[in-house]
Amino acid sequence: MMITALVLLLQSGPAGQPECDQEASDQGIQQEMNICAAAEYREADAALNAQWAVTSARMKERDEGWKPDWDRRPGHFTTLLESQRAWLRYRDAHCRLDGYYARGGSLEPLLVSTCKTGLTILRTEQLKELAERGP
Protein backbone atom coordinates (compact mmCIF):
# COMPACT_ATOMS: atom_id res chain seq x y z
CA MET A 1 0.00 0.00 0.00
CA MET A 2 2.75 2.46 0.97
CA ILE A 3 4.78 1.57 -2.13
CA THR A 4 1.74 2.13 -4.39
CA ALA A 5 1.17 5.55 -2.87
CA LEU A 6 4.83 6.44 -3.34
CA VAL A 7 4.80 5.31 -6.99
CA LEU A 8 1.67 7.36 -7.65
CA LEU A 9 3.22 10.39 -6.00
CA LEU A 10 6.39 10.05 -8.07
CA GLN A 11 4.34 9.76 -11.26
CA SER A 12 2.31 12.81 -10.43
CA GLY A 13 2.31 15.95 -12.50
CA PRO A 14 1.63 19.51 -11.31
CA ALA A 15 -0.02 19.84 -7.91
CA GLY A 16 0.06 16.09 -7.35
CA GLN A 17 -1.99 15.29 -10.46
CA PRO A 18 -1.09 12.06 -12.30
CA GLU A 19 0.70 12.62 -15.59
CA CYS A 20 -0.97 11.79 -18.88
CA ASP A 21 0.32 8.65 -20.57
CA GLN A 22 -0.83 9.48 -24.10
CA GLU A 23 0.16 6.08 -25.47
CA ALA A 24 -1.99 4.27 -22.89
CA SER A 25 -4.80 6.77 -23.50
CA ASP A 26 -4.60 6.12 -27.25
CA GLN A 27 -4.90 2.41 -26.52
CA GLY A 28 -8.25 3.08 -24.87
CA ILE A 29 -7.29 2.50 -21.25
CA GLN A 30 -10.08 4.38 -19.50
CA GLN A 31 -8.15 5.58 -16.47
CA GLU A 32 -5.44 7.04 -18.72
CA MET A 33 -8.05 8.61 -20.98
CA ASN A 34 -9.57 10.26 -17.91
CA ILE A 35 -6.16 11.49 -16.71
CA CYS A 36 -5.26 12.91 -20.13
CA ALA A 37 -8.64 14.61 -20.50
CA ALA A 38 -8.22 16.20 -17.06
CA ALA A 39 -4.73 17.41 -18.05
CA GLU A 40 -6.13 18.96 -21.25
CA TYR A 41 -8.76 20.73 -19.19
CA ARG A 42 -6.11 22.10 -16.79
CA GLU A 43 -4.21 23.50 -19.79
CA ALA A 44 -7.36 25.12 -21.19
CA ASP A 45 -8.18 26.54 -17.76
CA ALA A 46 -4.68 28.02 -17.43
CA ALA A 47 -5.10 29.71 -20.82
CA LEU A 48 -8.50 31.03 -19.72
CA ASN A 49 -7.00 32.48 -16.53
CA ALA A 50 -4.21 34.17 -18.50
CA GLN A 51 -6.74 35.70 -20.90
CA TRP A 52 -8.93 36.73 -17.97
CA ALA A 53 -6.06 38.82 -16.62
CA VAL A 54 -5.70 40.60 -19.97
CA THR A 55 -9.43 41.12 -20.54
CA SER A 56 -10.22 42.25 -17.00
CA ALA A 57 -7.37 44.77 -17.14
CA ARG A 58 -8.73 46.07 -20.45
CA MET A 59 -12.24 46.43 -18.98
CA LYS A 60 -10.84 48.34 -16.01
CA GLU A 61 -9.08 50.68 -18.44
CA ARG A 62 -12.35 51.27 -20.24
CA ASP A 63 -14.05 52.07 -16.94
CA GLU A 64 -11.51 54.78 -16.16
CA GLY A 65 -12.72 56.94 -19.03
CA TRP A 66 -16.45 56.23 -18.70
CA LYS A 67 -18.24 58.33 -16.08
CA PRO A 68 -21.23 60.02 -17.70
CA ASP A 69 -23.96 61.33 -15.40
CA TRP A 70 -26.72 59.93 -17.57
CA ASP A 71 -25.64 56.28 -17.52
CA ARG A 72 -26.00 54.53 -14.15
CA ARG A 73 -25.43 51.01 -15.49
CA PRO A 74 -22.56 48.93 -14.08
CA GLY A 75 -19.14 49.42 -15.64
CA HIS A 76 -17.26 47.21 -18.04
CA PHE A 77 -15.35 45.26 -15.40
CA THR A 78 -18.36 44.75 -13.10
CA THR A 79 -20.38 43.46 -16.04
CA LEU A 80 -17.52 41.22 -17.19
CA LEU A 81 -17.16 39.77 -13.69
CA GLU A 82 -20.90 39.12 -13.47
CA SER A 83 -20.87 37.39 -16.84
CA GLN A 84 -17.82 35.29 -15.96
CA ARG A 85 -19.37 34.09 -12.73
CA ALA A 86 -22.56 33.15 -14.58
CA TRP A 87 -20.55 31.42 -17.30
CA LEU A 88 -18.63 29.36 -14.72
CA ARG A 89 -21.90 28.20 -13.15
CA TYR A 90 -23.26 27.35 -16.61
CA ARG A 91 -20.11 25.48 -17.68
CA ASP A 92 -19.95 23.39 -14.53
CA ALA A 93 -23.65 22.50 -14.52
CA HIS A 94 -23.77 21.82 -18.26
CA CYS A 95 -20.72 19.58 -18.16
CA ARG A 96 -21.96 17.75 -15.08
CA LEU A 97 -25.14 17.03 -17.03
CA ASP A 98 -23.10 15.96 -20.05
CA GLY A 99 -21.28 13.50 -17.79
CA TYR A 100 -24.57 11.99 -16.68
CA TYR A 101 -24.62 10.10 -19.97
CA ALA A 102 -22.29 7.72 -18.14
CA ARG A 103 -23.41 8.61 -14.62
CA GLY A 104 -21.43 6.67 -12.05
CA GLY A 105 -19.34 4.93 -14.69
CA SER A 106 -15.67 5.17 -15.49
CA LEU A 107 -16.46 7.21 -18.63
CA GLU A 108 -18.12 10.04 -16.67
CA PRO A 109 -14.90 11.93 -15.77
CA LEU A 110 -13.79 11.83 -19.41
CA LEU A 111 -17.09 13.30 -20.59
CA VAL A 112 -17.00 16.06 -17.97
CA SER A 113 -13.38 17.00 -18.65
CA THR A 114 -13.86 16.99 -22.42
CA CYS A 115 -16.95 19.18 -22.10
CA LYS A 116 -15.17 21.62 -19.79
CA THR A 117 -12.16 21.78 -22.13
CA GLY A 118 -14.31 22.61 -25.15
CA LEU A 119 -16.38 25.27 -23.41
CA THR A 120 -13.30 26.77 -21.75
CA ILE A 121 -11.50 27.12 -25.08
CA LEU A 122 -14.57 28.88 -26.51
CA ARG A 123 -14.79 31.21 -23.52
CA THR A 124 -11.11 32.07 -23.80
CA GLU A 125 -11.74 33.16 -27.40
CA GLN A 126 -14.73 35.24 -26.31
CA LEU A 127 -12.64 36.98 -23.66
CA LYS A 128 -9.91 37.64 -26.22
CA GLU A 129 -12.45 39.21 -28.59
CA LEU A 130 -13.80 41.43 -25.80
CA ALA A 131 -10.31 42.68 -25.00
CA GLU A 132 -9.53 43.44 -28.63
CA ARG A 133 -12.76 45.31 -29.40
CA GLY A 134 -12.99 49.08 -29.87
CA PRO A 135 -12.51 51.79 -27.28
Side-chain angles (χ1 to χ4, degrees), residues 23-43:
E23 185 177 326
S25 177
D26 291 345
Q27 292 173 5
I29 298 171
Q30 189 63 57
Q31 181 178 3
E32 289 302 324
M33 292 168 61
N34 293 349
I35 290 168
C36 291
E40 288 175 19
Y41 166 66
R42 285 191 302 274
E43 288 176 24

Side-chain angles (χ1 to χ4, degrees), residues 8-9 36 44-46 48 50 58 63 68 79 90 106 109 116 118 133:
L8 287 175
L9 181 62
C36 291
D45 190 52
L48 174 80
R58 181 73 176 113
D63 283 338
T79 303
Y90 161 76
S106 61
K116 283 184 164 185
R133 255 189 230 161

